[in-house]
Amino acid sequence: KQPLPLDVRLRGNLINIDMSSAKTKKPKTVSGMITYAIRNQPPSENGVSRIAIQKYLQSEFNYTKAGQVKSSLKKGVEKGILIQTGQSFRVAGDPVAERPAEPKIKIEDIKKGSGTPAEAGDTVVVKYRGKLENGTVFDAASKFEFTLGAGDVIKGWDQGIASMKVGGERKLFVPSKLGYGKRGAAPEIPPNSDLFFQVTLKEIK
């Protein structure tokens, strides 16, 4: 088989180069830049906020005309190119990011207890000990009273102590989002800490 002439091989390489550069070529129209910005942001269920789009256009394209961006977003929605949810936008037809799974507590009953289970609205008295993941005890009490489901305590407790019976003893794993979250509770609980509790229900009032 005879090799292709040099000029044909060179033309072929140039075509490949042109096609490759076309794939990475950045858009020049405002609507094109907006679509590019949305598709290059971390995916979320509702899309990308207008402010995040404007910041991306400024950093990537040095484009700072906020009024034009707002107008182009509106036109994109009207034409069905973009889908708007609140102040966020995504490209119509693009895959929708899945909603992150909601964090859940984990319950291990050590002792069941007896009587009527505790439920929202009950005033309960508990004994507890709380630890961090490294085993450090950050808090403990032999008697602590609160109203279940009223927001007096972290969400992990409202969920984890419900259904307990008097005399029952339970281990709770409370993920950070159902505990003290990003802020933590200084100085005992650092930010984003998962918490481990051992709780005894002493009384339902």
Side-chain angles (χ1 to χ4, degrees):
K1 185 177 179 180
Q2 293 293 324
L4 291 172
L6 181 60
D7 62 333
V8 174
R9 281 182 283 160
L10 288 174
R11 285 201 301 273
N13 288 336
L14 288 172
I15 291 171
N16 288 336
I17 292 169
D18 288 342
M19 289 178 67
S20 175
S21 62
K23 290 179 181 178
T24 58
K25 191 175 181 181
K26 292 184 178 180
K28 294 182 179 178
T29 64
V30 179
S31 60
M33 288 190 290
I34 288 172
T35 299
Y36 186 92
I38 292 172
R39 287 175 169 166
N40 282 276
Q41 298 285 318
S44 68
E45 186 183 13
N46 293 333
V48 182
S49 71
R50 179 166 56 85
I51 293 174
I53 292 170
Q54 289 174 351
K55 287 181 178 179
Y56 189 92
L57 297 189
Q58 184 174 353
S59 64
E60 291 294 317
F61 301 99
N62 198 26
Y63 191 86
T64 57
K65 297 179 180 179
Q68 290 286 349
V69 173
K70 186 176 181 179
S71 175
S72 188
L73 285 168
K74 183 179 179 181
K75 288 179 182 177
V77 172
E78 290 172 351
K79 292 179 180 179
I81 298 169
L82 302 176
I83 296 173
Q84 181 176 2
T85 305
Q87 291 299 311
S88 295
F89 301 83
R90 60 184 178 87
V91 180
D94 280 6
V96 179
E98 293 183 4
R99 180 189 291 269
E102 290 295 322
K104 294 181 179 180
I105 61 169
K106 293 180 182 177
I107 295 172
E108 180 187 344
D109 281 315
I110 301 169
K111 185 180 177 182
K112 291 291 186 180
S114 60
T116 305
E119 58 184 23
D122 287 339
T123 298
V124 297
V125 180
V126 299
K127 173 185 176 181
Y128 73 93
R129 181 176 60 184
K131 292 183 179 181
L132 301 176
E133 193 169 11
N134 63 7
T136 301
V137 176
F138 61 84
D139 194 14
S142 59
K143 186 177 181 180
F144 177 73
E145 181 176 317
F146 68 99
T147 301
L148 193 60
D152 293 346
V153 292
I154 58 175
K155 289 181 180 180
W157 263 39
D158 275 337
Q159 295 178 18
I161 294 175
S163 79
M164 286 188 76
K165 298 178 180 180
V166 173
E169 190 174 350
R170 178 175 282 183
K171 286 184 178 180
L172 300 177
F173 164 73
V174 178
S176 172
K177 286 188 177 180
L178 296 177
Y180 295 94
K182 294 179 180 179
R183 296 180 64 181
E188 293 87 2
I189 302 174
N192 301 311
S193 293
D194 295 330
L195 307 175
F196 301 81
F197 293 95
Q198 188 157 333
V199 182
T200 301
L201 180 59
K202 300 181 72 173
E203 185 180 356
I204 300 176
K205 293 187 175 182

